[in-house]
Amino acid sequence: MVGPNPVLSVRPAEVADAAAIAAVHVAAWRSTYRGLLPDDFLASLAEAGYEERWRRIIGEETSRVYVAADGPEVVGFASGGRERAGEDGYGGELYAIYVVQEAQSKGHGRRLVQAVVAGLRELGLADMIVWVLRDNAGARRFYERLGGTYVRTQPITIGAALLQEVSYGWRSLDAIGY
Ligand SMILES: CC(C)(COP(=O)(O)OP(=O)(O)OC[C@H]1O[C@@H](n2cnc3c(N)ncnc32)[C@H](O)[C@@H]1OP(=O)(O)O)[C@@H](O)C(=O)NCCC(=O)NCCS
């Protein structure tokens, strides 16, 4: 159970959050994907490039982006919007969700999913799919904990690595088990 805590919060991202989101993005990729993605690829991730990318995404408003904060500090983010690849039966997608390692398991992930789901509803979407690396066991347990059901597996190339990713789906946003 996540109890009320005035210090931990989730709110819509603003363009001014882009640098903080980029820092979380790079730190969380390095800690999560060590051993899954090549070391040189993880070392090459540059916050400046991601800051520019997140600035654009937040400014465009086609996707919904939220940040999780611990006091004034951004410790996580998530984004979602229309499903991107034409997957049958899914109109909504959780594009990304990352919480820095030190702030995991405090309920930020659950609150970020709730925020994205509210954003998907605002876009008129009624369901959600998410893609996750097959070997990212922690995130898979998180989605399974929320009641996601396995959809399918497909190959994905990240940097020079050929990997497998799996998808989880919720046929109704009402079916997400927080
Ligand atoms: C996956 C992630 C977003 C979850 O966020 P979080 O803040 O750590 O999770 P929460 O504290 O909100 O946990 C919500 C529920 O999921 C469960 N859960 C979360 N991570 C889990 C894990 N690694 N293993 C098992 N259960 C997990 C929690 O136990 C909790 O259930 P409970 O209340 O019944 O105990 C976060 O751990 C993360 O950023 N991981 C690294 C990045 C990543 O893999 N992102 C997803 C890429 S597709």
mmCIF file of all heavy atoms in Angstrom, residues 1-2 28-29 31-33 77 95-101 103-113 130-133 136-143 145-146 178, ligand 1:
data_model
loop_
_atom_site.group_PDB
_atom_site.id
_atom_site.type_symbol
_atom_site.label_atom_id
_atom_site.label_comp_id
_atom_site.label_asym_id
_atom_site.label_seq_id
_atom_site.Cartn_x
_atom_site.Cartn_y
_atom_site.Cartn_z
ATOM 1 N N MET A 1 0.839 -1.206 0.000
ATOM 2 C CA MET A 1 0.000 0.000 0.000
ATOM 3 C C MET A 1 0.871 1.253 0.000
ATOM 4 O O MET A 1 1.879 1.330 0.679
ATOM 5 C CB MET A 1 -0.884 0.032 1.247
ATOM 6 C CG MET A 1 -2.254 -0.627 1.064
ATOM 7 S SD MET A 1 -3.262 0.252 -0.132
ATOM 8 C CE MET A 1 -3.644 1.754 0.753
ATOM 9 N N VAL A 2 0.451 2.237 -0.780
ATOM 10 C CA VAL A 2 1.146 3.509 -0.786
ATOM 11 C C VAL A 2 0.333 4.483 0.056
ATOM 12 O O VAL A 2 -0.798 4.824 -0.300
ATOM 13 C CB VAL A 2 1.300 4.051 -2.224
ATOM 14 C CG1 VAL A 2 1.977 5.405 -2.189
ATOM 15 C CG2 VAL A 2 2.096 3.076 -3.063
ATOM 16 N N ALA A 28 18.809 5.889 -15.231
ATOM 17 C CA ALA A 28 17.991 4.675 -15.109
ATOM 18 C C ALA A 28 18.326 3.672 -16.209
ATOM 19 O O ALA A 28 18.326 2.466 -15.972
ATOM 20 C CB ALA A 28 16.512 5.034 -15.135
ATOM 21 N N TRP A 29 18.612 4.167 -17.415
ATOM 22 C CA TRP A 29 19.043 3.229 -18.474
ATOM 23 C C TRP A 29 20.320 2.523 -18.041
ATOM 24 O O TRP A 29 20.466 1.320 -18.193
ATOM 25 C CB TRP A 29 19.278 3.983 -19.798
ATOM 26 C CG TRP A 29 18.060 4.015 -20.666
ATOM 27 C CD1 TRP A 29 16.857 4.571 -20.341
ATOM 28 C CD2 TRP A 29 17.914 3.462 -21.989
ATOM 29 N NE1 TRP A 29 15.979 4.398 -21.388
ATOM 30 C CE2 TRP A 29 16.601 3.732 -22.399
ATOM 31 C CE3 TRP A 29 18.782 2.784 -22.843
ATOM 32 C CZ2 TRP A 29 16.122 3.324 -23.647
ATOM 33 C CZ3 TRP A 29 18.316 2.390 -24.092
ATOM 34 C CH2 TRP A 29 16.989 2.654 -24.484
ATOM 35 N N SER A 31 21.568 1.918 -15.027
ATOM 36 C CA SER A 31 21.427 0.946 -13.931
ATOM 37 C C SER A 31 20.544 -0.232 -14.345
ATOM 38 O O SER A 31 20.806 -1.368 -13.966
ATOM 39 C CB SER A 31 20.887 1.626 -12.670
ATOM 40 O OG SER A 31 19.625 2.213 -12.904
ATOM 41 N N THR A 32 19.515 0.036 -15.149
ATOM 42 C CA THR A 32 18.577 -1.035 -15.510
ATOM 43 C C THR A 32 19.167 -1.978 -16.553
ATOM 44 O O THR A 32 18.966 -3.192 -16.488
ATOM 45 C CB THR A 32 17.283 -0.428 -16.101
ATOM 46 O OG1 THR A 32 16.735 0.495 -15.166
ATOM 47 C CG2 THR A 32 16.257 -1.506 -16.408
ATOM 48 N N TYR A 33 19.882 -1.405 -17.521
ATOM 49 C CA TYR A 33 20.282 -2.201 -18.690
ATOM 50 C C TYR A 33 21.729 -2.659 -18.656
ATOM 51 O O TYR A 33 22.219 -3.208 -19.647
ATOM 52 C CB TYR A 33 19.972 -1.420 -19.970
ATOM 53 C CG TYR A 33 18.495 -1.119 -20.118
ATOM 54 C CD1 TYR A 33 18.044 0.151 -20.429
ATOM 55 C CD2 TYR A 33 17.543 -2.124 -19.931
ATOM 56 C CE1 TYR A 33 16.682 0.427 -20.548
ATOM 57 C CE2 TYR A 33 16.181 -1.854 -20.044
ATOM 58 C CZ TYR A 33 15.766 -0.579 -20.358
ATOM 59 O OH TYR A 33 14.422 -0.325 -20.474
ATOM 60 N N PHE A 77 9.969 9.556 -14.327
ATOM 61 C CA PHE A 77 9.062 10.130 -15.328
ATOM 62 C C PHE A 77 8.382 8.983 -16.073
ATOM 63 O O PHE A 77 8.849 7.839 -16.064
ATOM 64 C CB PHE A 77 9.817 11.031 -16.332
ATOM 65 C CG PHE A 77 10.723 10.270 -17.251
ATOM 66 C CD1 PHE A 77 10.254 9.797 -18.473
ATOM 67 C CD2 PHE A 77 12.031 9.999 -16.904
ATOM 68 C CE1 PHE A 77 11.080 9.066 -19.331
ATOM 69 C CE2 PHE A 77 12.868 9.277 -17.744
ATOM 70 C CZ PHE A 77 12.395 8.810 -18.960
ATOM 71 N N TYR A 95 4.550 4.590 -23.173
ATOM 72 C CA TYR A 95 5.772 4.630 -23.987
ATOM 73 C C TYR A 95 7.025 4.366 -23.141
ATOM 74 O O TYR A 95 7.956 3.703 -23.580
ATOM 75 C CB TYR A 95 5.946 6.006 -24.636
ATOM 76 C CG TYR A 95 4.883 6.430 -25.622
ATOM 77 C CD1 TYR A 95 4.571 7.782 -25.767
ATOM 78 C CD2 TYR A 95 4.209 5.510 -26.419
ATOM 79 C CE1 TYR A 95 3.622 8.208 -26.681
ATOM 80 C CE2 TYR A 95 3.249 5.930 -27.338
ATOM 81 C CZ TYR A 95 2.955 7.285 -27.458
ATOM 82 O OH TYR A 95 2.011 7.711 -28.349
ATOM 83 N N ALA A 96 7.079 4.971 -21.963
ATOM 84 C CA ALA A 96 8.296 4.874 -21.152
ATOM 85 C C ALA A 96 7.958 5.129 -19.693
ATOM 86 O O ALA A 96 7.053 5.923 -19.397
ATOM 87 C CB ALA A 96 9.321 5.917 -21.620
ATOM 88 N N ILE A 97 8.664 4.457 -18.808
ATOM 89 C CA ILE A 97 8.523 4.740 -17.364
ATOM 90 C C ILE A 97 9.853 4.402 -16.692
ATOM 91 O O ILE A 97 10.339 3.273 -16.794
ATOM 92 C CB ILE A 97 7.326 3.983 -16.737
ATOM 93 C CG1 ILE A 97 7.206 4.311 -15.242
ATOM 94 C CG2 ILE A 97 7.389 2.484 -16.977
ATOM 95 C CD1 ILE A 97 5.860 3.916 -14.635
ATOM 96 N N TYR A 98 10.443 5.383 -16.060
ATOM 97 C CA TYR A 98 11.745 5.198 -15.420
ATOM 98 C C TYR A 98 11.794 5.938 -14.089
ATOM 99 O O TYR A 98 11.458 7.120 -14.024
ATOM 100 C CB TYR A 98 12.892 5.703 -16.318
ATOM 101 C CG TYR A 98 13.094 4.797 -17.513
ATOM 102 C CD1 TYR A 98 12.457 5.045 -18.720
ATOM 103 C CD2 TYR A 98 13.877 3.656 -17.404
ATOM 104 C CE1 TYR A 98 12.598 4.195 -19.808
ATOM 105 C CE2 TYR A 98 14.031 2.791 -18.485
ATOM 106 C CZ TYR A 98 13.394 3.073 -19.671
ATOM 107 O OH TYR A 98 13.537 2.199 -20.731
ATOM 108 N N VAL A 99 12.249 5.231 -13.066
ATOM 109 C CA VAL A 99 12.474 5.815 -11.748
ATOM 110 C C VAL A 99 13.929 5.534 -11.399
ATOM 111 O O VAL A 99 14.408 4.401 -11.611
ATOM 112 C CB VAL A 99 11.537 5.168 -10.697
ATOM 113 C CG1 VAL A 99 11.843 5.696 -9.298
ATOM 114 C CG2 VAL A 99 10.065 5.418 -11.067
ATOM 115 N N VAL A 100 14.660 6.520 -10.887
ATOM 116 C CA VAL A 100 16.069 6.270 -10.540
ATOM 117 C C VAL A 100 16.137 5.183 -9.465
ATOM 118 O O VAL A 100 15.246 5.052 -8.625
ATOM 119 C CB VAL A 100 16.813 7.550 -10.060
ATOM 120 C CG1 VAL A 100 16.984 8.542 -11.189
ATOM 121 C CG2 VAL A 100 16.123 8.173 -8.868
ATOM 122 N N GLN A 101 17.240 4.442 -9.501
ATOM 123 C CA GLN A 101 17.350 3.248 -8.653
ATOM 124 C C GLN A 101 17.085 3.549 -7.177
ATOM 125 O O GLN A 101 16.364 2.813 -6.501
ATOM 126 C CB GLN A 101 18.755 2.660 -8.819
ATOM 127 C CG GLN A 101 18.881 1.260 -8.289
ATOM 128 C CD GLN A 101 20.139 0.581 -8.808
ATOM 129 O OE1 GLN A 101 21.156 1.231 -9.069
ATOM 130 N NE2 GLN A 101 20.074 -0.717 -8.971
ATOM 131 N N ALA A 103 15.231 5.603 -5.817
ATOM 132 C CA ALA A 103 13.846 5.995 -5.486
ATOM 133 C C ALA A 103 12.827 4.921 -5.864
ATOM 134 O O ALA A 103 11.619 5.155 -5.776
ATOM 135 C CB ALA A 103 13.507 7.322 -6.190
ATOM 136 N N GLN A 104 13.320 3.749 -6.289
ATOM 137 C CA GLN A 104 12.385 2.685 -6.680
ATOM 138 C C GLN A 104 11.728 2.051 -5.454
ATOM 139 O O GLN A 104 12.212 2.200 -4.329
ATOM 140 C CB GLN A 104 13.125 1.614 -7.504
ATOM 141 C CG GLN A 104 13.526 2.122 -8.884
ATOM 142 C CD GLN A 104 14.401 1.153 -9.668
ATOM 143 O OE1 GLN A 104 14.559 0.002 -9.297
ATOM 144 N NE2 GLN A 104 14.988 1.646 -10.752
ATOM 145 N N SER A 105 10.615 1.396 -5.705
ATOM 146 C CA SER A 105 9.875 0.662 -4.667
ATOM 147 C C SER A 105 9.293 1.566 -3.588
ATOM 148 O O SER A 105 9.138 1.150 -2.439
ATOM 149 C CB SER A 105 10.765 -0.414 -4.011
ATOM 150 O OG SER A 105 11.239 -1.297 -5.005
ATOM 151 N N LYS A 106 8.990 2.813 -3.963
ATOM 152 C CA LYS A 106 8.341 3.729 -3.019
ATOM 153 C C LYS A 106 6.973 4.163 -3.523
ATOM 154 O O LYS A 106 6.388 5.108 -2.991
ATOM 155 C CB LYS A 106 9.211 4.983 -2.813
ATOM 156 C CG LYS A 106 10.529 4.737 -2.129
ATOM 157 C CD LYS A 106 11.278 6.055 -1.974
ATOM 158 C CE LYS A 106 12.629 5.822 -1.285
ATOM 159 N NZ LYS A 106 13.416 7.073 -1.260
ATOM 160 N N GLY A 107 6.517 3.520 -4.618
ATOM 161 C CA GLY A 107 5.197 3.878 -5.148
ATOM 162 C C GLY A 107 5.212 4.867 -6.294
ATOM 163 O O GLY A 107 4.157 5.191 -6.847
ATOM 164 N N HIS A 108 6.400 5.379 -6.660
ATOM 165 C CA HIS A 108 6.451 6.333 -7.783
ATOM 166 C C HIS A 108 5.932 5.690 -9.071
ATOM 167 O O HIS A 108 5.217 6.325 -9.841
ATOM 168 C CB HIS A 108 7.877 6.824 -8.009
ATOM 169 C CG HIS A 108 8.409 7.720 -6.938
ATOM 170 N ND1 HIS A 108 7.857 8.942 -6.645
ATOM 171 C CD2 HIS A 108 9.458 7.571 -6.090
ATOM 172 C CE1 HIS A 108 8.543 9.519 -5.665
ATOM 173 N NE2 HIS A 108 9.515 8.703 -5.301
ATOM 174 N N GLY A 109 6.337 4.429 -9.311
ATOM 175 C CA GLY A 109 5.934 3.765 -10.555
ATOM 176 C C GLY A 109 4.422 3.647 -10.656
ATOM 177 O O GLY A 109 3.824 3.952 -11.692
ATOM 178 N N ARG A 110 3.818 3.216 -9.576
ATOM 179 C CA ARG A 110 2.359 3.062 -9.561
ATOM 180 C C ARG A 110 1.678 4.414 -9.806
ATOM 181 O O ARG A 110 0.756 4.523 -10.611
ATOM 182 C CB ARG A 110 1.949 2.496 -8.208
ATOM 183 C CG ARG A 110 0.481 2.299 -8.021
ATOM 184 C CD ARG A 110 0.199 1.894 -6.598
ATOM 185 N NE ARG A 110 0.300 0.464 -6.398
ATOM 186 C CZ ARG A 110 1.156 -0.133 -5.570
ATOM 187 N NH1 ARG A 110 2.009 0.574 -4.872
ATOM 188 N NH2 ARG A 110 1.149 -1.436 -5.435
ATOM 189 N N ARG A 111 2.152 5.461 -9.128
ATOM 190 C CA ARG A 111 1.536 6.789 -9.309
ATOM 191 C C ARG A 111 1.759 7.313 -10.729
ATOM 192 O O ARG A 111 0.895 7.970 -11.303
ATOM 193 C CB ARG A 111 2.095 7.783 -8.274
ATOM 194 C CG ARG A 111 1.469 7.638 -6.896
ATOM 195 C CD ARG A 111 1.939 8.753 -5.963
ATOM 196 N NE ARG A 111 3.351 8.617 -5.660
ATOM 197 C CZ ARG A 111 3.823 7.910 -4.628
ATOM 198 N NH1 ARG A 111 3.001 7.311 -3.806
ATOM 199 N NH2 ARG A 111 5.111 7.814 -4.419
ATOM 200 N N LEU A 112 2.928 7.013 -11.309
ATOM 201 C CA LEU A 112 3.177 7.456 -12.690
ATOM 202 C C LEU A 112 2.231 6.749 -13.661
ATOM 203 O O LEU A 112 1.722 7.367 -14.598
ATOM 204 C CB LEU A 112 4.639 7.197 -13.065
ATOM 205 C CG LEU A 112 5.652 8.196 -12.493
ATOM 206 C CD1 LEU A 112 7.074 7.647 -12.602
ATOM 207 C CD2 LEU A 112 5.552 9.554 -13.195
ATOM 208 N N VAL A 113 2.003 5.457 -13.448
ATOM 209 C CA VAL A 113 1.063 4.743 -14.324
ATOM 210 C C VAL A 113 -0.338 5.347 -14.184
ATOM 211 O O VAL A 113 -1.029 5.578 -15.179
ATOM 212 C CB VAL A 113 1.048 3.225 -14.016
ATOM 213 C CG1 VAL A 113 -0.087 2.533 -14.765
ATOM 214 C CG2 VAL A 113 2.380 2.599 -14.391
ATOM 215 N N VAL A 130 2.258 -1.974 -23.388
ATOM 216 C CA VAL A 130 3.609 -1.499 -23.069
ATOM 217 C C VAL A 130 4.596 -2.546 -23.555
ATOM 218 O O VAL A 130 4.327 -3.746 -23.504
ATOM 219 C CB VAL A 130 3.776 -1.231 -21.549
ATOM 220 C CG1 VAL A 130 3.587 -2.495 -20.717
ATOM 221 C CG2 VAL A 130 5.121 -0.602 -21.260
ATOM 222 N N TRP A 131 5.738 -2.091 -24.054
ATOM 223 C CA TRP A 131 6.811 -2.983 -24.500
ATOM 224 C C TRP A 131 7.952 -2.914 -23.505
ATOM 225 O O TRP A 131 8.307 -1.842 -23.033
ATOM 226 C CB TRP A 131 7.298 -2.581 -25.893
ATOM 227 C CG TRP A 131 6.301 -2.917 -26.962
ATOM 228 C CD1 TRP A 131 5.328 -2.096 -27.464
ATOM 229 C CD2 TRP A 131 6.158 -4.178 -27.633
ATOM 230 N NE1 TRP A 131 4.592 -2.769 -28.410
ATOM 231 C CE2 TRP A 131 5.077 -4.047 -28.533
ATOM 232 C CE3 TRP A 131 6.835 -5.397 -27.561
ATOM 233 C CZ2 TRP A 131 4.656 -5.096 -29.356
ATOM 234 C CZ3 TRP A 131 6.426 -6.436 -28.375
ATOM 235 C CH2 TRP A 131 5.341 -6.284 -29.270
ATOM 236 N N VAL A 132 8.543 -4.066 -23.224
ATOM 237 C CA VAL A 132 9.609 -4.154 -22.233
ATOM 238 C C VAL A 132 10.608 -5.198 -22.718
ATOM 239 O O VAL A 132 10.224 -6.202 -23.327
ATOM 240 C CB VAL A 132 9.011 -4.518 -20.845
ATOM 241 C CG1 VAL A 132 8.119 -5.744 -20.912
ATOM 242 C CG2 VAL A 132 10.085 -4.701 -19.777
ATOM 243 N N LEU A 133 11.885 -4.974 -22.448
ATOM 244 C CA LEU A 133 12.875 -5.980 -22.841
ATOM 245 C C LEU A 133 12.561 -7.302 -22.141
ATOM 246 O O LEU A 133 12.238 -7.326 -20.946
ATOM 247 C CB LEU A 133 14.291 -5.524 -22.483
ATOM 248 C CG LEU A 133 14.894 -4.433 -23.361
ATOM 249 C CD1 LEU A 133 16.334 -4.162 -22.937
ATOM 250 C CD2 LEU A 133 14.831 -4.804 -24.835
ATOM 251 N N ASN A 136 14.262 -7.888 -18.865
ATOM 252 C CA ASN A 136 14.088 -6.892 -17.802
ATOM 253 C C ASN A 136 13.060 -7.438 -16.802
ATOM 254 O O ASN A 136 11.896 -7.060 -16.778
ATOM 255 C CB ASN A 136 13.629 -5.560 -18.403
ATOM 256 C CG ASN A 136 13.527 -4.446 -17.369
ATOM 257 O OD1 ASN A 136 13.688 -4.693 -16.168
ATOM 258 N ND2 ASN A 136 13.246 -3.237 -17.824
ATOM 259 N N ALA A 137 13.554 -8.339 -15.953
ATOM 260 C CA ALA A 137 12.643 -9.097 -15.081
ATOM 261 C C ALA A 137 11.890 -8.192 -14.111
ATOM 262 O O ALA A 137 10.712 -8.422 -13.832
ATOM 263 C CB ALA A 137 13.436 -10.155 -14.317
ATOM 264 N N GLY A 138 12.564 -7.170 -13.591
ATOM 265 C CA GLY A 138 11.914 -6.301 -12.606
ATOM 266 C C GLY A 138 10.714 -5.579 -13.186
ATOM 267 O O GLY A 138 9.626 -5.564 -12.592
ATOM 268 N N ALA A 139 10.901 -4.973 -14.361
ATOM 269 C CA ALA A 139 9.796 -4.247 -14.986
ATOM 270 C C ALA A 139 8.676 -5.207 -15.372
ATOM 271 O O ALA A 139 7.490 -4.881 -15.253
ATOM 272 C CB ALA A 139 10.300 -3.477 -16.206
ATOM 273 N N ARG A 140 9.042 -6.400 -15.814
ATOM 274 C CA ARG A 140 7.993 -7.367 -16.172
ATOM 275 C C ARG A 140 7.150 -7.712 -14.952
ATOM 276 O O ARG A 140 5.930 -7.802 -15.043
ATOM 277 C CB ARG A 140 8.620 -8.626 -16.784
ATOM 278 C CG ARG A 140 9.225 -8.344 -18.146
ATOM 279 C CD ARG A 140 9.703 -9.611 -18.813
ATOM 280 N NE ARG A 140 8.591 -10.523 -19.086
ATOM 281 C CZ ARG A 140 8.711 -11.634 -19.794
ATOM 282 N NH1 ARG A 140 9.878 -11.965 -20.307
ATOM 283 N NH2 ARG A 140 7.672 -12.410 -19.993
ATOM 284 N N ARG A 141 7.800 -7.861 -13.781
ATOM 285 C CA ARG A 141 7.018 -8.169 -12.564
ATOM 286 C C ARG A 141 6.120 -6.987 -12.190
ATOM 287 O O ARG A 141 5.005 -7.171 -11.710
ATOM 288 C CB ARG A 141 7.949 -8.552 -11.416
ATOM 289 C CG ARG A 141 8.470 -9.977 -11.572
ATOM 290 C CD ARG A 141 9.027 -10.503 -10.259
ATOM 291 N NE ARG A 141 10.217 -9.769 -9.854
ATOM 292 C CZ ARG A 141 11.449 -10.107 -10.209
ATOM 293 N NH1 ARG A 141 11.663 -11.163 -10.966
ATOM 294 N NH2 ARG A 141 12.474 -9.396 -9.791
ATOM 295 N N PHE A 142 6.632 -5.772 -12.415
ATOM 296 C CA PHE A 142 5.827 -4.570 -12.142
ATOM 297 C C PHE A 142 4.555 -4.590 -12.999
ATOM 298 O O PHE A 142 3.445 -4.402 -12.493
ATOM 299 C CB PHE A 142 6.692 -3.339 -12.438
ATOM 300 C CG PHE A 142 5.991 -2.014 -12.355
ATOM 301 C CD1 PHE A 142 5.508 -1.521 -11.145
ATOM 302 C CD2 PHE A 142 5.851 -1.225 -13.497
ATOM 303 C CE1 PHE A 142 4.885 -0.278 -11.078
ATOM 304 C CE2 PHE A 142 5.235 0.017 -13.441
ATOM 305 C CZ PHE A 142 4.752 0.493 -12.225
ATOM 306 N N TYR A 143 4.695 -4.854 -14.303
ATOM 307 C CA TYR A 143 3.511 -4.864 -15.180
ATOM 308 C C TYR A 143 2.584 -6.030 -14.835
ATOM 309 O O TYR A 143 1.356 -5.892 -14.897
ATOM 310 C CB TYR A 143 3.932 -4.934 -16.654
ATOM 311 C CG TYR A 143 4.769 -3.752 -17.084
ATOM 312 C CD1 TYR A 143 5.939 -3.919 -17.819
ATOM 313 C CD2 TYR A 143 4.388 -2.456 -16.739
ATOM 314 C CE1 TYR A 143 6.717 -2.831 -18.192
ATOM 315 C CE2 TYR A 143 5.161 -1.363 -17.109
ATOM 316 C CZ TYR A 143 6.326 -1.568 -17.833
ATOM 317 O OH TYR A 143 7.095 -0.487 -18.186
ATOM 318 N N ARG A 145 2.283 -7.271 -11.853
ATOM 319 C CA ARG A 145 1.651 -6.857 -10.594
ATOM 320 C C ARG A 145 0.449 -5.954 -10.869
ATOM 321 O O ARG A 145 -0.543 -5.976 -10.136
ATOM 322 C CB ARG A 145 2.697 -6.149 -9.716
ATOM 323 C CG ARG A 145 2.183 -5.402 -8.523
ATOM 324 C CD ARG A 145 1.560 -6.302 -7.485
ATOM 325 N NE ARG A 145 0.986 -5.503 -6.403
ATOM 326 C CZ ARG A 145 -0.182 -4.869 -6.474
ATOM 327 N NH1 ARG A 145 -0.901 -4.937 -7.574
ATOM 328 N NH2 ARG A 145 -0.631 -4.171 -5.447
ATOM 329 N N LEU A 146 0.529 -5.154 -11.933
ATOM 330 C CA LEU A 146 -0.573 -4.251 -12.293
ATOM 331 C C LEU A 146 -1.640 -4.961 -13.134
ATOM 332 O O LEU A 146 -2.579 -4.317 -13.608
ATOM 333 C CB LEU A 146 -0.038 -3.038 -13.070
ATOM 334 C CG LEU A 146 0.902 -2.093 -12.302
ATOM 335 C CD1 LEU A 146 1.393 -0.971 -13.215
ATOM 336 C CD2 LEU A 146 0.214 -1.488 -11.083
ATOM 337 N N TYR A 178 -4.072 -1.468 -9.480
ATOM 338 C CA TYR A 178 -3.069 -0.736 -8.691
ATOM 339 C C TYR A 178 -2.941 -1.344 -7.297
ATOM 340 O O TYR A 178 -2.033 -1.101 -6.598
ATOM 341 C CB TYR A 178 -3.454 0.751 -8.570
ATOM 342 C CG TYR A 178 -3.613 1.422 -9.909
ATOM 343 C CD1 TYR A 178 -4.884 1.753 -10.374
ATOM 344 C CD2 TYR A 178 -2.516 1.717 -10.696
ATOM 345 C CE1 TYR A 178 -5.039 2.378 -11.603
ATOM 346 C CE2 TYR A 178 -2.666 2.338 -11.931
ATOM 347 C CZ TYR A 178 -3.931 2.664 -12.387
ATOM 348 O OH TYR A 178 -4.086 3.268 -13.584
HETATM 349 C C1 LIG B 1 9.595 -0.595 -13.044
HETATM 350 C C2 LIG B 1 9.479 0.696 -12.236
HETATM 351 C C3 LIG B 1 8.974 1.827 -13.108
HETATM 352 C C4 LIG B 1 8.499 0.452 -11.067
HETATM 353 O O1 LIG B 1 8.422 1.640 -10.314
HETATM 354 P P1 LIG B 1 8.614 1.576 -8.729
HETATM 355 O O2 LIG B 1 8.441 2.948 -8.204
HETATM 356 O O3 LIG B 1 9.887 0.894 -8.423
HETATM 357 O O4 LIG B 1 7.401 0.609 -8.315
HETATM 358 P P2 LIG B 1 6.288 0.840 -7.171
HETATM 359 O O5 LIG B 1 6.971 1.140 -5.879
HETATM 360 O O6 LIG B 1 5.265 1.806 -7.643
HETATM 361 O O7 LIG B 1 5.678 -0.632 -7.099
HETATM 362 C C5 LIG B 1 4.382 -0.953 -7.551
HETATM 363 C C6 LIG B 1 4.165 -2.441 -7.397
HETATM 364 O O8 LIG B 1 4.974 -3.155 -8.327
HETATM 365 C C7 LIG B 1 5.842 -4.055 -7.645
HETATM 366 N N1 LIG B 1 7.177 -4.009 -8.236
HETATM 367 C C8 LIG B 1 7.836 -2.928 -8.674
HETATM 368 N N2 LIG B 1 9.058 -3.254 -9.138
HETATM 369 C C9 LIG B 1 9.167 -4.585 -8.939
HETATM 370 C C10 LIG B 1 10.193 -5.524 -9.167
HETATM 371 N N3 LIG B 1 11.379 -5.157 -9.685
HETATM 372 N N4 LIG B 1 9.975 -6.804 -8.838
HETATM 373 C C11 LIG B 1 8.794 -7.187 -8.298
HETATM 374 N N5 LIG B 1 7.780 -6.345 -8.046
HETATM 375 C C12 LIG B 1 7.970 -5.071 -8.364
HETATM 376 C C13 LIG B 1 5.934 -3.520 -6.227
HETATM 377 O O9 LIG B 1 6.233 -4.551 -5.327
HETATM 378 C C14 LIG B 1 4.569 -2.932 -6.009
HETATM 379 O O10 LIG B 1 3.623 -3.904 -5.632
HETATM 380 P P3 LIG B 1 3.200 -4.091 -4.075
HETATM 381 O O11 LIG B 1 2.684 -2.774 -3.605
HETATM 382 O O12 LIG B 1 2.159 -5.152 -4.162
HETATM 383 O O13 LIG B 1 4.434 -4.508 -3.375
HETATM 384 C C15 LIG B 1 10.852 1.106 -11.616
HETATM 385 O O14 LIG B 1 11.280 0.112 -10.714
HETATM 386 C C16 LIG B 1 11.921 1.378 -12.652
HETATM 387 O O15 LIG B 1 12.058 2.498 -13.109
HETATM 388 N N6 LIG B 1 12.724 0.346 -12.993
HETATM 389 C C17 LIG B 1 13.856 0.508 -13.865
HETATM 390 C C18 LIG B 1 13.486 1.021 -15.231
HETATM 391 C C19 LIG B 1 12.581 0.113 -16.010
HETATM 392 O O16 LIG B 1 12.766 -1.084 -16.074
HETATM 393 N N7 LIG B 1 11.551 0.736 -16.619
HETATM 394 C C20 LIG B 1 10.607 0.044 -17.463
HETATM 395 C C21 LIG B 1 11.134 -0.091 -18.849
HETATM 396 S S1 LIG B 1 9.958 -0.902 -19.926
#
